[in-house]
Amino acid sequence: MKRSIVICGYGNVAVELCKIISKNKNFILNQYDLELQVISVIGAQGQIFEEQGIDLELLVKCGKGSSALKEYAKVKGLNLHGKVIPKGDILVEATPTDLNSGEPGLSYSLEALNQGMDLVFASKGALVTNYKRILDKVKEKGVKLNYSGATAAALPTLDVGENCLSGSNLKSIKGILNGTTNYILSEMTLNKISFEEALEKAQRRGIAEKDPTLDISGFDSACKLVLIVNKVLNKTYDINDVHISGIDKLTNDDIRIAYENGQTIKLIAEASIFDEEISMKVGPVKVLNGKIMASVNGTNKCIIYETDEMGEIFCAGGASDPIGAGAAVLKDIINMYK
Ligand SMILES: NC(=O)c1ccc[n+]([C@@H]2O[C@H](COP(=O)([O-])OP(=O)(O)OC[C@H]3O[C@@H](n4cnc5c(N)ncnc54)[C@H](OP(=O)(O)O)[C@@H]3O)[C@@H](O)[C@H]2O)c1
């Protein structure tokens, strides 16, 4: 089977995706009978388009962002096109996440949906702000939608929930879904440094953004929780349905007192399911040290699905970086056509 791909946003994740597709092209063809061809890459300043497929080996040598697209066009003697989505089979949305407007991913994905293309998101903005609108269109057009990259990247949050628990009753979904806050809390707990010192260390190591508000406020975890609940339980909740508190008010005394009582504080995202009612919250929780979540440290993340029939299913780890996110996008594409 041949599938053509249009990529929006040529940053860290898209570059890694192109590297993996280029490197594993033959393996993907032999193993999954899937021939993947990237026909267009759209950056903020325009688009490269080649109907017969972009030379990914050459593209990744050109660097990142719009400058890479311009360099590729120059080497190949192509013109840079406008930012209109060309007809392909799959749209990969990897532009920056804007949790207010959902743009530019919202417009790109709606344009692709109108053309009947399947969607794979690494970005969260469009899904968090306009989930119902996108889902309605996905159903109307009869296309596929995947977004593992937007829900904790390489950690298979959605795969486990959607595929491994079919037919079982879910009682709750709990997770440590944000690597930055888990790193800060681990540093405060294990190395006994203050919140400010731990945040500064995370920023120095490139783990936390310059503006870490979305992470430490719990908002990023809440976005991931809503997207997981919506896909696994076929709902259309939005971020306002989650009760959110962050870790910025935690002191070393809070951490120490918990530790002296055999507990470790973790930022937990949790959905409790009672028949049709689902209550969602994100906040710091004291976890007993013998419990498995207490031992998930550093930038690691995890998810626990609690079911009636299958008991608790725990999954942890997964690369928290652009390579892991690029690989998660590729996995979503392959799984769509298996
Ligand atoms: N990095 C990770 O580990 C990771 C993990 C999971 C999910 N994600 C999500 O995946 C998405 C991409 O992440 P990233 O790390 O690759 O971000 P990034 O490096 O900032 O890349 C985004 C790219 O989008 C381009 N862009 C900006 N506005 C655009 C527009 N209007 N149209 C087309 N392209 C536009 C920018 O390039 P030019 O301005 O140069 O064109 C930029 O290179 C984000 O939404 C992020 O939240 C990232």
Side-chain angles (χ1 to χ4, degrees):
M1 182 191 302
K2 204 168 176 170
R3 284 287 178 266
S4 59
I5 302 172
V6 174
I7 300 176
C8 292
Y10 191 59
N12 296 306
V13 173
V15 169
E16 295 305 331
L17 171 66
C18 288
K19 279 187 199 165
I20 309 170
I21 294 178
S22 169
K23 192 176 83 184
N24 292 350
K25 205 164 85 186
N26 292 336
F27 161 66
I28 295 166
L29 181 62
N30 294 334
Q31 184 82 9
Y32 305 104
D33 189 24
L34 190 59
E35 187 181 344
L36 296 178
Q37 206 166 51
V38 176
I39 58 163
S40 155
V41 182
I42 303 178
Q45 295 172 38
Q47 164 180 199
I48 52 169
F49 173 80
E50 284 186 287
E51 204 168 1
Q52 298 312 312
I54 285 164
D55 178 348
L56 295 183
E57 225 170 295
L58 172 62
L59 179 61
V60 296
K61 283 187 191 141
C62 292
K64 194 174 76 171
S66 285
S67 59
L69 305 184
K70 284 182 190 163
E71 176 65 16
Y72 181 90
K74 193 171 128 198
V75 175
K76 293 285 279 268
L78 303 170
N79 289 323
L80 217 56
H81 294 253
K83 295 187 284 178
V84 177
I85 305 285
K87 175 83 182 103
D89 297 310
I90 309 158
L91 179 93
V92 170
E93 217 311 298
T95 60
T97 285
D98 179 334
L99 293 169
N100 294 314
S101 67
E103 296 293 0
L106 179 61
S107 297
Y108 286 140
S109 51
L110 291 175
E111 210 179 317
L113 279 168
N114 280 333
Q115 305 198 47
M117 293 166 69
D118 296 323
L119 299 180
V120 176
F121 285 85
S123 63
K124 286 188 277 291
L127 292 168
V128 169
T129 56
N130 281 269
Y131 192 83
K132 189 170 178 334
R133 188 169 169 199
I134 291 171
L135 189 68
D136 285 348
K137 204 83 182 160
V138 161
K139 287 181 180 163
E140 179 198 319
K141 295 286 179 179
V143 299
K144 299 178 175 77
L145 167 67
N146 261 339
Y147 51 78
S148 296
T151 55
L155 182 72
T157 51
L158 295 176
D159 302 286
V160 173
E162 283 189 290
N163 300 313
C164 305
L165 312 175
S166 303
S168 284
N169 287 305
L170 269 180
K171 286 158 65 174
S172 71
I173 304 171
K174 276 184 222 161
I176 296 173
L177 300 178
N178 181 276
T180 304
T181 45
N182 202 40
Y183 176 85
I184 292 171
L185 290 176
S186 300
E187 286 293 314
M188 290 174 76
T189 307
L190 302 174
N191 294 329
K192 304 192 174 21
I193 59 177
S194 68
F195 171 80
E196 289 74 18
E197 284 172 298
L199 172 59
E200 204 256 325
K201 191 169 172 185
Q203 284 170 322
R204 240 185 303 122
R205 295 188 168 194
I207 293 166
E209 306 268 341
K210 258 197 198 136
D211 178 1
T213 314
L214 282 179
D215 292 327
I216 63 176
S217 66
F219 204 77
D220 177 76
S221 299
C223 290
K224 289 172 183 159
L225 181 68
V226 168
L227 294 181
I228 292 167
V229 165
N230 282 351
K231 194 121 192 337
V232 172
L233 294 163
N234 196 21
K235 302 288 179 193
T236 55
Y237 289 114
D238 69 36
I239 196 73
N240 299 315
D241 297 310
V242 191
H243 186 270
I244 309 170
S245 55
I247 63 163
D248 42 335
K249 303 277 182 314
L250 282 178
T251 64
N252 284 79
D253 275 350
D254 297 326
I255 304 268
R256 182 183 50 78
I257 292 164
Y259 207 70
E260 285 167 2
N261 286 304
Q263 299 161 327
T264 300
I265 298 184
K266 294 289 181 191
L267 184 70
I268 307 278
E270 177 169 4
S272 305
I273 303 152
F274 320 92
D275 298 323
E276 281 304 292
E277 281 289 295
I278 298 177
S279 91
M280 291 182 284
K281 63 182 179 191
V282 171
V285 173
K286 290 174 189 151
V287 182
L288 278 175
N289 280 337
K291 293 277 181 188
I292 203 155
M293 271 198 185
S295 62
V296 176
N297 283 318
T299 55
N300 274 326
K301 292 174 276 194
C302 71
I303 191 157
I304 299 178
Y305 284 96
E306 190 191 1
T307 73
D308 277 335
E309 297 83 359
M310 293 188 180
E312 276 193 3
I313 313 287
F314 171 74
C315 185
S320 263
D321 58 20
I323 304 178
V329 169
L330 175 61
K331 167 194 72 177
D332 275 354
I333 293 173
I334 292 172
N335 288 345
M336 273 178 166
Y337 305 111
K338 262 184 179 169

